[in-house]
Amino acid sequence: MHQTAHYRDGVERFVPSPSEAVLLAALVLFCWKLYGGTENDAVAGLSSVVVVVVAWVVGVSLRAALNDMRWWLLLGFLVALIVPWLGANTFQVGVMSQVCVFALLIFGLNVVTGYTGQISLGHGALVGISAYIIAILSSNYGWNVFAAMTVGISVTTAFGFVLGIPALRLAGPYLAIATLAAALIFPPLLKLDTFEDYTGGIQGLHETRLSPPGPIESFLKEHAPSDAYQNDFQRRKFAEESYLYYISLAAGVVGLVTLWNLGRSRFGRAFVAVRDSEVAATSMGINVPLYKVTAFGISALYAGFAGAAFFLVIAFVAPESFDLVNLSINPLAYLVIGGLATTGGPVVGAFGYMWVPRVINKIATVSGDFDKLQGAMTGLLLIVVMTRLPQGVWGGVRRVNALSWQRLAGDSWAWAFQRSPLFWAGLALAAVVVVLIAQFIGTVWAVFALALLIVAPHDVWSGAGDVLRRLNPGWKRNASIQADVT
Amino acid sequence: MTVAPAPALLQVRDVTITFGGLVALDSVSFDVGSGEIVGLIGPNGAGKTTMFNCVTRLYRPDRGSITFDGRDLLRVPAHRVAACGITRTFQNLALFPSLTVLDNVLVGQHHLLHADAVSSSLRLPTVVSEERAARAEACEIINYLDLDAYRNTYVRSLPYGVQKRVETARALVGRPRLLLLDEPAGGLNHEEVTRLGEQIRAIRDRFALTVLLVEHHMSLVMAISDHVAVLDFGRRIAVGTPAEVQRNPAVVEAYLGGQDEDGTHA
Amino acid sequence: METFFAQLANGASTGALYGLLALALVFIFRATDVVNFAQGEMAMFSTYLGWSISRPLSLSWIPFLGVDRHLNLLTWRPEVFGLPLYLGSENDGLTRLGYLVVLVVTVAIAFVMGALIERLLIRPSEGKNLLNAVIVTLGIFAFLNSLANFRYGPVPQTYPAPFRGDAVDFGLFKMSQHSLFALVVAAVLMIAVYVFFQRTKLGLGVRAAALNPSASQLMGINTGRMLTLGWALAAAIGCVAGMLIAPALSGISPNLMFGILLYGFAAAVLGGLDSALGAVVGGIAVGVGQSMVVQYVGSQWSDIIAFGLIIAILMVRPTGLFGAPAVKKV
Amino acid sequence: MSRDRKPWYRTPWMAALFLAAFALPVLAVACGDDDDNTTTPTKAATTSAATTATGSATGSASASASATTDAKAQIDTIKGDTTGVTDKEVKIGSYVAKTGPASIYDDIEKGWNIYFDEVNKKGGIAGRQIKFIVDDDGYNPVNTVNVVKKLVEQDQVFTLFNGLGTPGGNAVLPYLKDAKVPSLFIASGDAKWGDQGSTIIGLQPDYVTEGTTLGKYMAQNYKGKKYGILFQNDDFGKEGRDGLKKGVGGALTLVDEETYEANAPDINAQATKLINAGAEVLGVFATPTQFAGALKYVKAQGKSVVWFSSAVTASSSTAKLAEGAMDGVFSAGYLPDPSDPDPIVQKVVQFFKDHGVANPNSFHLYSYMAAEHLERLLTVVGKNLNRESLIYALDNVAFQGDWKSTLLRQPSIVTKSDHKVIEYEWIQKWDEKAGKFQYPIGDIINSETTKR
């Protein structure tokens, strides 16, 4: 069901054409600055617009010359490197560390659910096993954290293979519920009196957070942005959070690259083959049970890393931390929203997992009495994304991307002329309402939003157009393009 | 019954399989000689595809033996059959719809590649060169079967006939010595069937293959087969050259009942 | 021995509630092939609607107007042909007739709600990846839960029960009238679901539409309508379940159903996702199993053993106790 | 599909609506930050009267001993961290579960928001408006960590107030100590909050005290009988159990103790097991729904047993859920129930009714009490508000026994070594006919005595 961008030599290219880059940059910056809520919003808004414009211009000019993912990878990596200096405060850096943590978990889910098609609701338990083993070894037995991590991750991988055994006999919803049961068993097990001495029972286990080695710490403290980090405590926090961020980032990048490599190797193909047709896969020489269990094992390896990073970043484990919804169901939901069986989808999903609740919380808080409705907003978002972009955000971006730009421009005009006057009247009305609202609440962000729309009209609008097209099936794209992308 | 001069490549002996009391194959025996094209025919429900599934080990026969190149196939697990040199196509298509044509064909090479999970995920140089070689081979076969235009298209959006060719490509790329084709002419018109016949022969010659063919199109089978085996209700009722088989009264008898289903069946 | 039977009866009463929700899950799975995470919240929400209908401040049942909060004057007691629609008061609960009226009205609302959910939310993701529909149901779950929290508040409210007299004494054990009623309703619904799918043309159509949409379209079955019907009926069954669960568990709150949903899933899978009999038997098995573990092993082990057993049973019977074995097509 | 048979939701109108529906909230958030800056109070500068806002309670404070006045003078000289404080405003953060299984506690937030809206309307405290930033942690400790870091590092709040829940409180404790951000009046009954250093302070009596109080009463009145304990498998339940055992001593025989997980629909099996094992007295540390269910179930089974329950379940709303089965149930308590006819309590209930709360419950009363504590503290600190002066005032001036919250029985006392505000509990008994608790039954028990 997934779509991948393929170039002439048939090599699957990782990531972004300019449009994707612009959309992503805009998305990231938007969430970022939006949630930052710094005092000088005007500067933040303006600088976002500048960054978006630059990204777009650079992207367009580079597209022909650098039709090679390595440049984009590098660009993305460079941006990721300066994240501590982009963030308005240490909290945001901490959230970005957690984006890396949950990206690892979602990578793992992607292997087992995206590629291999086995729904697993038990991955929260795997993260928990890893985090708990590390916590127990390091706080009860005084192990070095990194040594404990090695053990934790290995044991979790082994558990992953065990969790994969039901996959040999169960299919679809039965497997989903079996793994769900595994996730439900985990917290009560931690609370058992028998294990309480090791697991800390309901109180959980604390660990002092890893602090950076001296030279790194002093370097980071020295170079902390002075406007945001004024006192020594804040600078120390900056050094600590940045250090943890870089560790998580390293893990996340390794996870991303290995996932991408795996996806385009014989393993990735075999996983998808197992998902699409077990019989054909068998006849092509694929040992289906072995690959199913392997998928769980690899996936648990990622989950183990996620647990290790989780322990580093949160530095606290308790049975309540590994609840069903937060660590098993939501990551899966955000994986599907990001895009199943893609490389970029999990990254989008991890961003969504960490940032969507925060942005929604912000919306809810602004709207006063409606803060209880944030669950409803999240629910609506899930529904809208799933019904309008069935292949997830990444799939949707790719779809837009696969279209030729000139054609898109032409199509947009054709589309515009085909709309009824009523539609335009409605749109104008909506715009007026938007402007009025902006009048009442503030203009800086309205300007930013409008700028975003003006800067990348074809791309962004065709993204919206894609949504509208679904609403208006009467409008069909040119048949040749259709064949290109479906 | 002509006996092949050299020991036959595939020897099927007394294969019997029942499904809940229903005898699908009843002591079926036949040989496929190296380099031959052998047709396996019979009315609907005669057990032809079941025979294929037994050879590829998707089913385990209750009795009998299947020997391939001197090796007892019944001791080989299903996923090793391809590595033994037997690949197949499916009657109702079993492609991987969410992969592109190229990736589908590459899956056919799965058993020829050896990269392990760790080096795959690190994409070590050995993996890169192995993948490159596989890709080159896959592209060659794609070109050979005129699928170049669809190389990066997802198979689910392709027309039926093209999908059939993709399946053939996927089977060929696994370097088989015995190719099992399950109704390759299904859904083709008269002209295309004629071309398909030529193509099968050409493939056999070019890749030095042996072909076992299940087909409803009598004209196709009779035109290209070196030998034909006829099944009816799970029993082998005749075996021989096309000419011999066409004269066999048992065959005529079997086909009289299912007149409407033979030959012109699409 | 007395303890054993008491636990048996107690487990069966709780299990009947699991079974009721599991029945709705099974129904929707058979009718649309979707595992519906929103089932519990749909039941909860429609139960809340029923609750607000049965309140004396009658305008409060008009959802989201919020008039009751400020305009308590608008209290009225609607009458239909001289029969008071609202029977009873806040404290003494509904009379049986009143309960019945509320039940019928609420089930009708739930039916419409289920149909609307299918038409508006599920339909666009049908025929795509199976997970998409599941994620949509998760979205509905979050949406309804938060909406109920917003509209009705998190504090549990009492809910009227139709049978509220003394417990019935069976000698070996006692069972409350409501639990017996729930068991009877579970059995009746189970038979009704079985008959619907197995013996009626409509049920056959619904099944066909779920199993092979394109083929049944060719056979002249309006698959779209069948799917809508499936969701509507499942919502109705869920509503009945909710209206029986709420009084059994001392009232209704937005988080009433989450625990029940998990055990309901366990029950449905244990019995076999496509078997109505399995749902109810599975529910009672889970309930009794929990009681027995509490009694004879220890309450800390209750969830661990219950869910562990479910995994074990699934390993032996991959499609549950009563599910049709999966057919492998070649 | 032909174009003229489009379903209604696929019309251009819906598309436009859809777009608008997206644009609106996005813009709304987008512009939210500007909003923060424009809401600076206009009245605050004009009023000087902290007294107008604080009502009767401050009256007694002014008549305090001379030692306190010295300490009071001291406050104005202390310099310290003024993060989150301006002349016009003080930013206070909190975390509570607004969503998820513990969302029932959200009423607490609603309660003190109402209270401080009223305070702000009257000019705030010492000329400062109270600005609350409350985030939802869904009762998940991982979320609590994130939410508290956001409050401290991004929103730069002055202090945390009344953050709810033990798991979350545990999770953020080292962080808060490290950051030296005060966490005032933590809404958790864990026993540890009393001695976690100068910046951490707990509000309510801990569950151990509660259990001990109940246990002592049991030991006095049901000597020689058999008893059982039923508790939720978390910190609340376990500490309650420990306290209960301690209070009982050896006066009653323990039959068995049973637990349940918080998401369990009912606890009937556990109750059955305990009663059939011969327990005549049951101590229960559960949440209201499960407890009410168990009461109803046991009553329907025709068993008679003496119930002792935690303050968590001691409210008229639990009695309503139990439908009559709560008659005669003993419980621990330190705060009156809204059903209490006492005119002071009814005044508070009326206060909430006047502000749009249809049925004020015990959470509202709790929030009122917590808010009073914060108001008292900020009023005492006065103009020179910083983290050090706040802690100094907390330890030395604000809660030295000359001030009592409206709803409490005893003055609130905080010392440097004991950072727990409320230290007493009473035994109460629900009277179904009267629709209220009879209390206090016996003496009010101070936890200082139970600790030993």
Side-chain angles (χ1 to χ4, degrees):
Chain A
M1 292 270 163
H2 75 301
Q3 301 202 338
T4 43
H6 284 270
Y7 293 79
R8 196 144 297 154
D9 62 347
V11 180
E12 184 187 331
R13 291 291 187 206
F14 173 64
V15 199
S17 81
S19 53
E20 286 168 348
V22 171
L23 277 176
L24 273 180
L27 193 76
V28 171
L29 279 168
F30 196 63
C31 296
W32 192 269
K33 294 293 179 188
L34 190 69
Y35 195 70
T38 47
E39 299 303 316
N40 41 5
D41 274 349
V43 179
L46 211 64
S47 63
S48 305
V49 173
V50 170
V51 170
V52 169
V53 172
V54 169
W56 188 64
V57 172
V58 171
V60 170
S61 43
L62 280 185
R63 187 177 202 197
L66 307 173
N67 200 355
D68 190 322
M69 57 80 204
R70 277 173 297 181
W71 290 96
W72 294 109
L73 203 63
L74 190 68
L75 196 70
F77 187 62
L78 285 179
V79 173
L81 276 184
I82 56 164
V83 152
W85 283 269
L86 284 177
N89 49 53
T90 40
F91 163 68
Q92 295 188 338
V93 181
V95 172
M96 289 310 287
S97 313
Q98 287 175 56
V99 168
C100 298
V101 173
F102 286 101
L104 280 169
L105 170 60
I106 297 178
F107 290 154
L109 271 175
N110 194 25
V111 171
V112 78
T113 303
Y115 289 124
T116 322
Q118 316 280 313
I119 301 175
S120 168
L121 293 172
H123 269 57
L126 291 176
V127 176
I129 288 172
S130 171
Y132 253 100
I133 289 175
I134 299 166
I136 290 170
L137 288 181
S138 64
S139 59
N140 291 0
Y141 297 97
W143 282 39
N144 176 293
V145 176
F146 291 99
M149 277 180 184
T150 322
V151 176
I153 293 168
S154 325
V155 175
T156 310
T157 312
F159 263 104
F161 281 104
V162 174
L163 191 66
I165 292 172
L168 301 183
R169 281 184 62 76
L170 307 179
Y174 291 97
L175 178 63
I177 304 297
T179 51
L180 179 109
L184 284 171
I185 289 176
F186 184 61
L189 265 181
L190 295 173
K191 293 191 217 167
L192 278 183
D193 292 336
T194 332
F195 305 135
E196 201 164 1
D197 290 345
Y198 305 100
T199 61
I202 42 166
Q203 297 281 344
L205 289 171
H206 270 296
E207 180 63 26
T208 44
R209 288 182 106 198
L210 204 63
S211 54
I216 298 180
E217 181 170 16
S218 53
F219 174 84
L220 286 169
K221 273 167 99 170
E222 231 166 81
H223 291 86
S226 56
D227 54 336
Y229 306 103
Q230 281 144 357
N231 57 40
D232 191 61
F233 169 74
Q234 287 174 335
R235 282 165 180 279
R236 184 161 62 76
K237 276 279 152 204
F238 174 80
E240 186 187 302
E241 291 288 352
S242 308
Y243 180 63
L244 289 178
Y245 168 73
Y246 286 122
I247 292 180
S248 325
L249 179 70
V253 167
V254 170
L256 179 70
V257 172
T258 49
L259 177 77
W260 172 39
N261 285 337
L262 205 64
R264 61 197 175 130
S265 72
R266 65 193 277 262
F267 278 85
R269 291 191 297 267
F271 288 150
V272 177
V274 168
R275 180 187 72 188
D276 281 2
S277 167
E278 290 191 15
V279 168
T282 307
S283 296
M284 295 305 125
I286 295 167
N287 184 350
V288 172
L290 180 72
Y291 273 79
K292 279 184 177 174
V293 174
T294 306
F296 266 93
I298 293 177
S299 155
L301 183 67
Y302 282 108
F305 269 100
F310 178 93
F311 180 71
L312 278 188
V313 173
I314 306 286
F316 173 70
V317 287
E320 280 90 351
S321 305
F322 303 99
D323 68 346
L324 189 68
V325 175
N326 272 296
L327 267 124
S328 290
I329 293 181
N330 277 351
L332 186 64
Y334 279 101
L335 167 64
V336 180
I337 284 181
L340 275 174
T342 60
T343 315
V347 179
V348 176
F351 264 96
Y353 178 88
M354 284 315 291
W355 284 107
V356 163
R358 282 163 180 81
V359 172
I360 281 183
N361 183 26
K362 185 93 180 170
I363 298 174
T365 322
V366 166
S367 57
D369 201 25
F370 296 94
D371 55 354
K372 272 188 183 168
L373 282 179
Q374 49 183 298
M377 291 186 214
T378 315
L380 267 186
L381 184 79
L382 287 188
I383 295 168
V384 167
V385 171
M386 275 301 94
T387 50
R388 300 300 169 220
L389 295 171
Q391 287 162 354
V393 175
W394 197 253
V397 172
R398 263 186 179 157
R399 207 184 153 86
V400 172
N401 221 42
L403 305 173
S404 99
W405 286 45
Q406 290 92 334
R407 194 151 241 166
L408 255 177
D411 271 8
S412 308
W413 284 111
W415 178 83
F417 281 116
Q418 279 172 15
R419 297 304 93 198
S420 71
L422 262 184
F423 171 77
W424 289 112
L427 206 63
L429 189 72
V432 169
V433 172
V434 167
V435 170
L436 277 179
I437 297 274
Q439 279 292 312
F440 280 108
I441 302 180
T443 47
V444 176
W445 285 104
V447 169
F448 170 62
L450 284 177
L452 193 73
L453 295 182
I454 294 162
V455 162
H458 300 319
D459 233 24
V460 174
W461 273 109
S462 62
D466 207 57
V467 172
L468 291 174
R469 198 179 299 121
R470 279 161 197 291
L471 297 166
N472 296 277
W475 179 61
K476 286 271 187 283
R477 244 190 272 115
N478 188 309
S480 64
I481 307 180
Q482 198 92 14
D484 227 28
V485 284
T486 39
Chain B
M1 175 171 179
T2 24
V3 179
L9 183 67
L10 178 73
Q11 295 176 323
V12 177
R13 290 283 172 273
D14 299 327
V15 165
T16 303
I17 185 167
T18 54
F19 295 116
L22 181 85
V23 183
L25 289 175
D26 187 2
S27 296
V28 176
S29 307
F30 63 89
D31 286 351
V32 178
S34 190
E36 283 185 332
I37 295 180
V38 174
L40 189 59
I41 61 171
N44 269 359
K48 303 180 300 278
T49 299
T50 308
M51 191 67 239
F52 263 32
N53 288 340
C54 287
V55 173
T56 52
R57 296 291 294 102
L58 295 175
Y59 293 161
R60 161 169 275 285
D62 300 336
R63 269 202 314 280
S65 74
I66 302 174
T67 318
F68 177 73
D69 197 17
R71 195 167 167 186
D72 183 4
L73 266 189
L74 295 187
R75 286 163 175 271
V76 176
H79 63 270
R80 289 270 167 73
V81 169
C84 292
I86 303 176
T87 59
R88 67 175 288 184
T89 68
F90 292 85
Q91 186 180 354
N92 296 319
L93 289 180
L95 286 165
F96 310 116
S98 51
L99 289 175
T100 60
V101 169
L102 179 65
D103 281 344
N104 262 283
V105 175
L106 278 172
V107 172
Q109 286 211 324
H110 186 85
H111 61 93
L112 298 174
L113 306 179
H114 301 290
D116 60 304
V118 176
S119 43
S120 287
S121 53
L122 297 176
R123 211 164 178 81
L124 299 178
T126 52
V127 179
V128 175
S129 57
E130 189 184 81
E131 279 281 309
R132 192 174 292 150
R135 207 168 283 269
E137 196 169 334
C139 287
E140 193 189 318
I141 292 198
I142 285 174
N143 285 342
Y144 177 73
L145 287 176
D146 284 333
L147 288 165
D148 202 29
Y150 308 106
R151 190 166 63 189
N152 294 324
T153 317
Y154 293 97
V155 292
R156 78 171 98 80
S157 58
L158 291 175
Y160 189 75
V162 180
Q163 291 198 14
K164 280 250 158 198
R165 265 189 285 155
V166 176
E167 266 210 327
T168 314
R170 188 179 66 179
L172 274 179
V173 84
R175 294 187 204 152
R177 282 187 292 155
L178 173 64
L179 178 65
L180 308 181
L181 296 175
D182 202 343
E183 301 208 12
L188 302 187
N189 63 29
H190 196 72
E191 233 172 89
E192 287 169 333
V193 170
T194 320
R195 223 165 344 128
L196 177 74
E198 289 159 16
Q199 209 167 24
I200 292 175
R201 279 180 171 275
I203 287 173
R204 191 254 317 247
D205 296 340
R206 175 168 169 163
F207 296 96
L209 291 173
T210 307
V211 177
L212 177 60
L213 179 77
V214 161
E215 189 48 71
H216 268 303
H217 265 279
M218 277 306 160
S219 54
L220 177 68
V221 177
M222 294 308 170
I224 65 169
S225 301
D226 298 321
H227 291 99
V228 176
V230 189
L231 296 180
D232 189 24
F233 290 112
R235 280 173 299 114
R236 193 203 75 192
I237 55 170
V239 69
T241 61
E244 286 167 8
V245 166
Q246 271 168 316
R247 286 195 302 271
N248 189 319
V251 177
V252 177
E253 169 79 8
Y255 270 88
L256 272 179
Q259 196 81 65
D260 52 331
E261 284 186 337
D262 70 10
T264 52
H265 177 85
Chain C
M1 216 56 211
E2 188 206 356
T3 311
F4 175 79
F5 282 107
Q7 291 291 24
L8 192 69
N10 170 43
S13 323
T14 315
L17 306 179
Y18 302 156
L20 276 165
L21 197 69
L23 209 51
L25 288 169
V26 162
F27 193 96
I28 217 153
F29 184 76
R30 274 201 105 166
T32 66
D33 235 2
V34 171
V35 177
N36 184 9
F37 273 87
Q39 192 72 62
E41 304 311 284
M42 283 161 65
M44 177 273 295
F45 200 78
S46 44
T47 310
Y48 255 121
L49 290 176
W51 172 80
S52 41
I53 295 172
S54 64
R55 305 231 332 141
L57 306 179
S58 291
L59 271 198
S60 68
W61 64 267
I62 302 175
F64 311 113
L65 281 188
V67 278
D68 60 320
R69 201 187 272 187
H70 304 295
L71 297 175
N72 284 340
L73 299 175
L74 286 169
T75 305
W76 64 349
R77 287 175 173 249
E79 292 186 4
V80 181
F81 305 119
L83 180 79
L85 190 59
Y86 173 73
L87 305 169
S89 73
E90 199 175 346
N91 288 327
D92 60 5
L94 289 174
T95 62
R96 246 165 250 167
L97 181 59
Y99 185 89
L100 198 68
V101 171
V102 169
L103 183 76
V104 169
V105 174
T106 316
V107 166
I109 295 174
F111 186 88
V112 175
M113 188 175 88
L116 278 178
I117 284 177
E118 198 277 336
R119 280 274 146 159
L120 295 181
L121 305 179
I122 303 292
R123 180 65 55 91
S125 64
E126 256 159 19
K128 308 259 167 45
N129 192 332
L130 191 73
L131 258 177
N132 281 26
V134 173
I135 304 296
V136 172
T137 64
L138 278 176
I140 300 170
F141 171 94
F143 185 79
L144 288 181
N145 184 289
S146 145
L147 206 60
N149 205 346
F150 173 71
R151 176 66 182 87
Y152 301 107
V155 181
Q157 309 279 356
T158 48
Y159 200 84
F163 296 94
R164 39 200 307 115
D166 292 336
V168 184
D169 199 338
F170 289 94
L172 286 167
F173 57 88
K174 280 181 181 174
M175 224 166 169
S176 75
Q177 292 190 8
H178 183 76
S179 296
L180 283 173
F181 181 58
L183 271 172
V184 170
V185 172
V188 169
L189 274 181
M190 177 183 89
I191 293 165
V193 170
Y194 178 82
V195 168
F196 176 79
F197 279 127
Q198 245 55 35
R199 296 288 147 86
T200 66
K201 219 179 145 188
L202 197 60
L204 197 68
V206 171
R207 269 167 69 199
L211 283 176
N212 195 338
S214 48
S216 36
Q217 197 112 48
L218 288 174
M219 304 292 286
I221 296 170
N222 185 341
T223 49
R225 192 167 296 164
M226 290 301 140
L227 292 175
T228 311
L229 184 72
W231 270 82
L233 283 173
I237 295 173
C239 174
V240 174
M243 291 189 69
L244 288 171
I245 289 169
L249 298 185
S250 65
I252 179 168
S253 68
N255 299 314
L256 168 75
M257 286 294 186
F258 188 65
I260 303 263
L261 180 75
L262 292 182
Y263 297 114
F265 268 135
V269 163
L270 186 63
L273 267 173
D274 53 357
S275 160
L277 174 70
V280 176
V281 173
I284 292 176
V286 172
V288 171
Q290 277 183 317
S291 292
M292 292 303 162
V293 173
V294 166
Q295 180 67 42
Y296 297 108
V297 185
S299 41
Q300 276 194 328
W301 291 90
S302 158
D303 275 8
I304 301 173
I305 291 183
F307 287 115
L309 265 181
I310 283 163
I311 299 179
I313 290 173
L314 281 181
M315 291 302 288
V316 181
R317 288 192 62 97
T319 51
L321 294 173
F322 299 92
V327 182
K328 220 179 198 178
K329 274 179 271 179
V330 176
Chain D
M1 192 190 294
S2 68
R3 285 198 64 182
D4 49 353
R5 291 202 46 187
K6 274 182 286 184
W8 63 271
Y9 56 89
R10 287 191 172 168
T11 55
W13 273 108
M14 285 308 290
L17 256 179
F18 180 71
L19 269 185
F22 254 83
L24 286 182
V26 166
L27 277 180
V29 205
C31 307
D33 294 322
D34 303 34
D35 192 35
D36 294 348
N37 301 335
T38 54
T39 52
T40 38
T42 47
K43 275 188 251 165
T46 60
T47 51
S48 60
T51 42
T52 51
T54 47
S56 61
T58 31
S60 56
S62 60
S64 52
S66 62
T68 330
T69 34
D70 287 349
K72 213 169 175 180
Q74 185 101 39
I75 293 175
D76 291 334
T77 64
I78 296 175
K79 295 232 182 309
D81 192 346
T82 58
T83 308
V85 182
T86 65
D87 285 347
K88 306 248 171 78
E89 188 182 83
V90 52
K91 263 197 251 179
I92 290 172
S94 187
Y95 55 90
V96 69
K98 297 183 191 187
T99 57
S103 60
I104 187 166
Y105 296 114
D106 193 31
D107 278 341
I108 294 177
E109 181 219 343
K110 295 274 171 295
W112 33 258
N113 268 331
I114 290 175
Y115 185 94
F116 281 106
D117 276 352
E118 207 50 26
V119 171
N120 283 345
K121 263 187 213 157
K122 289 179 185 159
I125 301 173
R128 294 189 186 92
Q129 297 280 301
I130 311 292
K131 187 178 180 230
F132 273 114
I133 303 171
V134 187
D135 280 327
D136 174 26
D137 71 349
Y139 217 76
N140 178 320
V142 178
N143 287 347
T144 317
V145 171
N146 282 328
V147 158
V148 167
K149 285 175 80 174
K150 184 218 155 212
L151 291 170
V152 172
E153 291 166 16
Q154 178 162 304
D155 299 327
Q156 309 247 316
V157 296
F158 174 62
T159 169
L160 290 177
F161 165 65
N162 214 212
L164 185 130
T166 308
N170 276 340
V172 297
L173 184 61
Y175 172 78
L176 286 175
K177 281 184 185 170
D178 183 34
K180 299 194 175 63
V181 177
S183 186
L184 301 174
F185 312 122
I186 296 169
S188 148
D190 198 285
K192 67 155 64 136
W193 303 121
D195 52 359
Q196 291 297 321
S198 63
T199 53
I200 309 290
I201 180 161
L203 179 61
Q204 69 230 40
D206 57 75
Y207 299 128
V208 178
T209 306
E210 205 172 289
T212 318
T213 312
L214 290 172
K216 287 206 161 161
Y217 187 84
M218 272 189 203
Q220 279 162 17
N221 297 284
Y222 295 92
K223 212 178 189 94
K225 300 214 171 196
K226 290 180 184 167
Y227 80 110
I229 311 176
L230 210 174
F231 60 100
Q232 189 161 313
N233 192 9
D234 58 10
D235 53 290
F236 151 61
K238 286 199 169 171
E239 285 180 15
R241 170 201 61 184
D242 294 345
L244 193 68
K245 279 182 172 171
K246 203 166 88 179
V248 168
L252 284 82
T253 335
L254 180 64
V255 177
D256 197 0
E257 48 184 71
E258 291 295 322
T259 72
Y260 71 93
E261 293 301 324
N263 65 356
D266 66 43
I267 52 175
N268 299 348
Q270 284 88 335
T272 308
K273 181 177 181 184
L274 288 173
I275 292 171
N276 282 358
E280 297 149 287
V281 181
L282 275 189
V284 184
F285 292 85
T287 47
T289 39
Q290 281 115 340
F291 181 57
L295 287 175
K296 281 201 305 191
Y297 173 75
V298 171
K299 191 185 172 196
Q301 294 290 312
K303 309 270 183 189
S304 72
V305 63
V306 184
W307 296 87
F308 281 82
S309 88
S310 141
V312 172
T313 42
S315 72
S316 47
S317 36
T318 312
K320 210 166 142 192
L321 292 181
E323 291 168 347
M326 201 166 108
D327 193 26
V329 170
F330 292 98
S331 52
Y334 58 94
L335 200 66
D337 188 80
S339 61
D340 194 333
D342 184 294
I344 299 174
V345 177
Q346 285 311 311
K347 218 173 122 187
V348 175
V349 169
Q350 193 57 43
F351 170 80
F352 283 113
K353 281 189 176 162
D354 292 343
H355 288 85
V357 180
N359 294 306
N361 53 36
S362 43
F363 295 124
H364 290 102
L365 297 198
Y366 177 90
S367 70
Y368 189 92
M369 183 269 293
E372 273 184 325
H373 279 83
L374 180 63
E375 191 196 357
R376 161 71 183 170
L377 181 57
L378 291 179
T379 309
V380 166
V381 179
K383 277 283 176 202
N384 180 34
L385 182 63
N386 56 54
R387 284 179 182 160
E388 279 68 20
S389 66
L390 182 88
I391 299 302
Y392 181 83
L394 179 74
D395 289 345
N396 301 303
V397 190
F399 305 108
Q400 301 303 306
D402 52 358
W403 178 85
K404 187 177 82 62
S405 163
T406 316
L407 291 168
L408 293 181
R409 275 296 173 107
Q410 293 181 357
S412 301
I413 299 175
V414 174
T415 63
K416 224 176 172 119
S417 58
D418 187 359
H419 265 203
K420 188 122 204 164
V421 179
I422 306 170
E423 308 248 28
Y424 70 89
E425 296 247 11
W426 62 60
I427 297 286
Q428 56 190 5
K429 186 179 179 184
W430 178 254
D431 183 345
E432 187 69 33
K433 269 216 187 81
K436 68 179 179 71
F437 284 104
Q438 295 173 350
Y439 74 98
I441 293 175
D443 299 329
I444 292 180
I445 296 171
N446 201 309
S447 68
E448 293 305 317
T449 59
T450 59
K451 266 179 191 161
R452 274 150 235 148

